[in-house]
Amino acid sequence: MSTTKPVNQKAWWLVLPVVICVAFSAVLPLMTVVNYSLQDIISPERRVFVGTEWFVAAMRDEELHGALWRQLTFSLAVLAVEIPLGIMLALSMPAKGWKASAVLVVVSLSLLIPWNVVGTIWQIYGRADIGLLGAMLQKMGFDYSYTGNATHAWITVLTMDVWHWTPLVALLCYAGLRSIPDAYYQAASIDGASRFAVFRYIQLPKMRGVLMIAVLLRFMDSFMIYTEPFVLTGGGPGNATTFLSEYLTQKAVGQFDVGPAAAFSLIYFLIILLLCFILYNWMQRVGTASKEGAGHE
Amino acid sequence: MNENRFRMRTLFLIAYIVFALLPIYWMVNMSFKTNEEILSSFSFFPQHFTWHNYRTIFTDASWYSGYINSLIIVAINMTISITVALPAAYAFSRYSFLGDKHLFFWLLTNRMTPPAVFLLPFFQLYTTLGLMDTHIAVALAHLVFNVPLAVWILEGFMSGIPREIDETAYIDGYSFPRFFLTIFLPLIKAGVGVTAFFCFMFSWVELLLARTLTSVDAKPIVATMTRTVSASGMDWATLAAAGVLTILPGAVVIWFVRHYIAKGFAMGRV
Amino acid sequence: MFDWMVWTTPVAVFFTSIALMLAGMTVWEIKSPTILRKGFLPIATTRGDRLFIGLLGAAYINLAFVGLAGKFAAWFQLEQEPSVWISFAISMVVLVLVMRKG
């Protein structure tokens, strides 16, 4: 947001509907969660104030630590695979012509598939008896089973996420690449710059902004992943793919432990709030940096 | 050397596309087989091509009502989201006002908060209001992430329209509503389209809230599909067909907004 | 109507004070608009940003304290776990520090 915009407090009236809407569906629930987190709710009529007990329990809950740890490892693995792959993909996508549009549509296809269907697709695809991937791995001599083996399940969920979201990274990088004027490349080729030099000194700096956004978006989104692993593995085998959202849902809906679930929700919310703050400040910075070179598609 | 590099890139691209398309193809393939064929033989093409699975979905009320419910929920949600987001996005893109940045940040946090956090209160809230198992409940619950998203995308598109246009219109004596509806809205048509698309997407695929807030009458297709998953004796063929049908609306919409989709994603606002 | 929210007094007090704080910040902002400045925090902040960072930091301190209270009791051979009021006091000090110097 640039500073040249005229100050007009009446703009609040335009924002009011959104504020009311979101307050109804976010602030009221949040207040309720805070209420829940301090009480032991046996039934709507019988509830006891327990103070910080649930927070203490949540902070010392080994299972929660396990879920948080798995979540972090998973999110980092997602970044480690998707970011380089996305960059490579963006670099290899054609720049113009019908081929560019065709590739663009094909690549973005997986982004537009409903998340539960992503789970279903991989559920089918990975089965050793009926799925192509599972059957091929079996043929190659792996005793592959995402329902029985924890490591396999984890890798399958990761592969699924890579399949699902790498295109987002690629599209962002692609947009960054397209904003580089041809003159840069011409100058580089006159200088006889190597392929790597072009990447390192022309393309990478131009992609830096979008790349940061990609990293943070992927981190945040993988941090709240729920639907796909739920459909694919249901959090199992054991708890190998029980990530934070899954664990929270199990507690809240499965066991109906309202108090502990609420305390956990708040802790989760605080983590998200911190990540969001970092993301927002990054975007602001990237936004103001790229506005000077605005006008590109 | 140039030639070589070109080939390497193309090879990589083709490899990726195969990786991307094969799982989808496999599901489409399965949706045309019978359950017996799926379990007994293994082939790249259906040996006994059948429309049976699709017929099941279109004739069995427990399946097709899922699609109808989903469409109703998405339509309500999309209408509300875009209606409230338009003026707000205009305010954010044109004026600065007290607390605008903090407000924007607050909206962003709602987009990023996992729905699981709000699950229990939503359940209580809609039970109290007597809205459980209705379309409106799910549509309202989905506002929590779609409204911020809509504001965000629209703000991006609106900021691309020069402010001089507004000023000229006001000098010419246009009132704000008239200017907004007759001049400004047509200018950001594409933005509204992309926003609608993303609202559609995220509401269409959301599973957790939709599953918790509905039981029978308003059960959307995503929830119906998980029910089949947990049923005894997997009905893989019908599941695959349902999956294909769930992709289709998105595929149709993407065709209309294909020129803007990259831009929508590229704003980093999804 | 608000029964489903199962209100308790401490939470009501908490949210009232948040609301008052927001109102107070608004009045303060109108009386003397804030300027973007750079303190010990890595980014340039306004008053509102510092309040947010301070509150978030306070929340994290309290949580960490609650999580480690058992360990503290063992380390310092306390008879019972230290009261959360200690961490509350620490977090308020941090909040003030961030507001003034951040």
Side-chain angles (χ1 to χ4, degrees), chain B residues 230-243:
Chain B
S230 56
S232 60
M234 291 295 254
D235 190 358
W236 291 111
T238 319
L239 187 65

Side-chain angles (χ1 to χ4, degrees), chain B residues 7 28 74 86 203 209 240 259:
Chain B
R7 212 170 292 151
V28 177
V74 169
L86 274 171
S203 183
L209 295 176
H259 298 299

Side-chain angles (χ1 to χ4, degrees), chain A residues 148-230:
Chain A
N149 183 312
T151 321
H152 294 174
W154 195 86
I155 292 174
T156 312
V157 173
L158 180 66
T159 316
M160 177 172 68
D161 198 80
V162 168
W163 177 82
H164 190 183
W165 286 112
T166 304
L168 178 67
V169 181
L171 282 182
L172 285 169
C173 292
Y174 185 74
L177 285 176
R178 291 288 81 77
S179 70
I180 303 174
D182 278 344
Y184 282 40
Y185 292 117
Q186 284 155 13
S189 80
I190 291 167
D191 290 350
S194 72
R195 177 76 201 92
F196 181 75
V198 170
F199 175 71
R200 174 68 188 77
Y201 296 105
I202 299 178
Q203 292 171 326
L204 199 58
K206 271 285 176 186
M207 282 194 291
R208 216 183 61 117
V210 279
L211 216 49
M212 267 327 288
I213 293 176
V215 168
L216 284 162
L217 275 181
R218 278 319 298 136
F219 189 76
M220 303 243 1
D221 280 348
S222 66
F223 212 78
M224 51 192 264
I225 187 169
Y226 171 78
T227 312
E228 301 99 313
F230 173 77

Side-chain angles (χ1 to χ4, degrees), chain C residues 43-88:
Chain C
I43 49 167
T45 51
T46 62
R47 211 184 281 140
D49 297 335
R50 286 194 295 278
L51 179 68
F52 175 77
I53 296 171
L55 285 176
L56 196 62
Y60 272 92
I61 290 171
N62 278 310
L63 270 184
F65 187 85
V66 159
L68 293 173
K71 296 239 171 68
F72 285 144
W75 290 340
F76 305 119
Q77 278 127 30
L78 302 177
E79 291 186 4
Q80 55 184 13
E81 289 181 1
S83 148
V84 283
W85 292 108
I86 301 175
S87 70
F88 182 75

Side-chain angles (χ1 to χ4, degrees), chain A residues 5 36 112 163 224 226, chain B residues 20 30 92 112 124 211 254:
Chain A
K5 279 186 289 193
Y36 284 162
L112 304 165
W163 177 82
M224 51 192 264
Y226 171 78
Chain B
M30 267 177 71
F92 279 120
M112 296 299 185
Q124 290 297 336
R211 196 164 54 107
I254 188 190

Side-chain angles (χ1 to χ4, degrees), chain A residues 69-88:
Chain A
W69 189 240
R70 272 193 299 279
Q71 181 71 68
L72 277 175
T73 343
F74 179 74
S75 290
L76 290 177
V78 159
L79 289 184
V81 178
E82 286 178 17
I83 298 296
L85 195 62
I87 295 176
M88 273 160 71

Side-chain angles (χ1 to χ4, degrees), chain A residues 1 5 10 40 52 102 105 158 204 225 247 270 276:
Chain A
M1 281 167 216
K5 279 186 289 193
K10 282 194 196 126
D40 190 355
T52 56
V105 169
L158 180 66
L204 199 58
I225 187 169
Y247 181 68
L270 281 176
C276 242

